[in-house]
Amino acid sequence: MKTSKSITRAFCVELQQELSIVAARREYFSQEPPRTRFSFLCSTEACRARGVKITGVRYDVKPQEHPTFVAAHFRANPNYQHHADCEWVDEADGVEDEPKVKETEEETALRKAKRKLDDYIDVFDPSLKERGKPEPSSVTADKPVEDSPATPKAPSDAPKSKQPTETRTNNLERLVDSFRQAQANLSKEEFALLTLRIPGQGEVSLRSYFRHIKFAQVSDDRRVLYGGGLVERYGTGFKFKFFDRLQGKLVTLYVSPAQMQAYRSSRYISELLSHADEVRFFTVFALGTLAQSPSGKSFSVEIEDLRHLAIVLGPAKKTAAD
Ligand SMILES: [Zn+2]
């Protein structure tokens, strides 16, 4: 059967685990060059047993600001038929525009907006669970924490055998990719409809969960702060200086060499930062706390863990030839 839902996870043959495309991208760039591309199979076991391949698109391209934004995503391979039980096959295939339950105009608009995104996130869990502390040599250790499989949303007595699923993650970079795609591909009205559930915090609009650094407030630590700026390296560590000032003061984000060394995906971060000379700026997304420096002369964004940091390359610098 053909899939009809956005494929948000696939089984990576090389890593022998199921992951999101964002996790695949991080693993890809964590390899020592020359890097090898991955092969993906469908996440549903019945499909995997038949060798049903999935195509990974743009996971070998670093996240970058681009006028024609194309998010990394998974795509069904047209040469393979999926099992009827496949989680990406919708039984209501073809009648998806006519839902069985009556919906309001707003619900219809929201459903259509979601379908324009490759990876819509319903739930983002920012908690840093200890069990997720990965062993440096093991790639599987990250799995339970990075991307939990979709969990059934509908009550268990629902008549359909395949219940609607929700996409849940605690991978900030994945949420950032989804946010960036929504910003790039949806109208303002559609974007405003998107919501996000944060355990312990309730439901918020996706837009409000991200706050540009120029609107940040001290003590407001339950949002993703973001903004463009430049990076200074301090050995393996770095200091990010936001372009925008807050109350006329400089805002920075410092990551120490020790923090970098302790982080499993530090090679991926270093790889992104290595393009400092080629890009006009970096955009940093951080789930942290804004604090005023003891001197009161500047602000800093403090993050507890590097898993709460995502970096996107800015547009390429114009070369002399331009
Ligand atoms: Zn399948």
Side-chain angles (χ1 to χ4, degrees), residues 3 42 44 47 52 82-83 86 88:
T3 61
C42 184
T44 298
C47 296
V52 175
H82 289 252
H83 194 275
C86 175
W88 312 115

Side-chain angles (χ1 to χ4, degrees), residues 65-303:
E65 305 281 347
H66 203 272
T68 54
F69 178 80
V70 181
H73 60 278
F74 287 119
R75 194 173 59 200
N77 183 320
N79 301 321
Y80 294 88
Q81 292 291 325
H82 289 252
H83 194 275
D85 292 338
C86 175
E87 62 175 315
W88 312 115
V89 171
D90 199 328
E91 283 162 353
D93 199 8
V95 292
E96 238 192 312
D97 279 326
E98 295 157 38
K100 292 174 193 73
V101 257
K102 230 173 173 230
E103 25 175 55
T104 63
E105 245 173 72
E106 189 175 307
E107 283 165 345
T108 308
L110 173 62
R111 186 168 51 82
K112 289 186 173 162
K114 283 182 180 182
R115 285 177 60 186
K116 292 183 185 173
L117 303 175
D118 294 307
D119 190 18
Y120 176 78
I121 309 288
D122 297 285
V123 183
F124 174 66
D125 184 359
S127 62
L128 298 159
K129 298 175 192 99
E130 279 305 305
R131 70 187 169 100
K133 278 267 161 74
E135 299 124 41
S137 60
S138 161
V139 283
T140 51
D142 239 1
K143 192 204 157 195
V145 177
E146 293 290 321
D147 293 290
S148 335
T151 48
K153 197 184 200 171
S156 53
D157 58 349
K160 269 186 84 177
S161 62
K162 254 180 280 171
Q163 297 159 357
T165 53
E166 61 181 21
T167 304
R168 195 184 173 100
T169 188
N170 57 8
N171 183 333
L172 177 69
E173 195 180 9
R174 185 172 170 194
L175 179 68
V176 166
D177 257 40
S178 179
F179 171 79
R180 291 172 59 228
Q181 195 190 27
Q183 252 187 339
N185 298 0
L186 301 184
S187 70
K188 238 180 152 171
E189 293 72 30
E190 288 172 323
F191 189 33
L193 293 173
L194 302 184
T195 58
L196 183 66
R197 212 162 73 243
I198 319 287
Q201 208 173 320
E203 193 164 278
V204 296
S205 74
L206 178 66
R207 198 174 46 175
S208 73
Y209 194 61
F210 285 76
R211 178 163 280 174
H212 197 278
I213 197 71
K214 63 186 168 192
F215 304 119
Q217 287 163 5
V218 174
S219 82
D220 186 6
D221 59 353
R222 307 217 294 176
R223 282 190 173 78
V224 178
L225 301 173
Y226 71 98
L230 296 173
V231 162
E232 282 171 18
R233 296 307 298 261
Y234 290 86
T236 50
F238 60 94
K239 185 191 257 181
F240 182 80
K241 291 182 171 173
F242 289 94
F243 288 139
D244 284 292
R245 303 212 155 210
L246 199 59
Q247 299 161 22
K249 293 167 188 171
L250 178 70
V251 188
T252 63
L253 186 154
Y254 176 67
V255 173
S256 71
Q259 256 179 306
M260 277 291 269
Q261 273 149 29
Y263 183 46
R264 173 175 179 272
S265 300
S266 59
R267 190 200 289 269
Y268 175 56
I269 292 188
S270 294
E271 186 58 42
L272 294 175
L273 298 180
S274 71
H275 294 277
D277 291 337
E278 300 143 44
V279 296
R280 302 209 322 255
F281 58 86
F282 292 99
T283 305
V284 151
F285 296 81
L287 187 58
T289 312
L290 182 71
Q292 193 149 24
S293 69
S295 68
K297 286 181 184 156
S298 63
F299 289 101
S300 65
V301 176
E302 284 154 16
I303 49 169

Side-chain angles (χ1 to χ4, degrees), residues 29-47:
F29 285 107
S30 293
Q31 297 177 80
E32 194 105 46
R35 305 183 180 100
T36 46
R37 289 179 57 91
F38 298 140
S39 320
F40 299 100
L41 295 172
C42 184
S43 54
T44 298
E45 255 183 60
C47 296

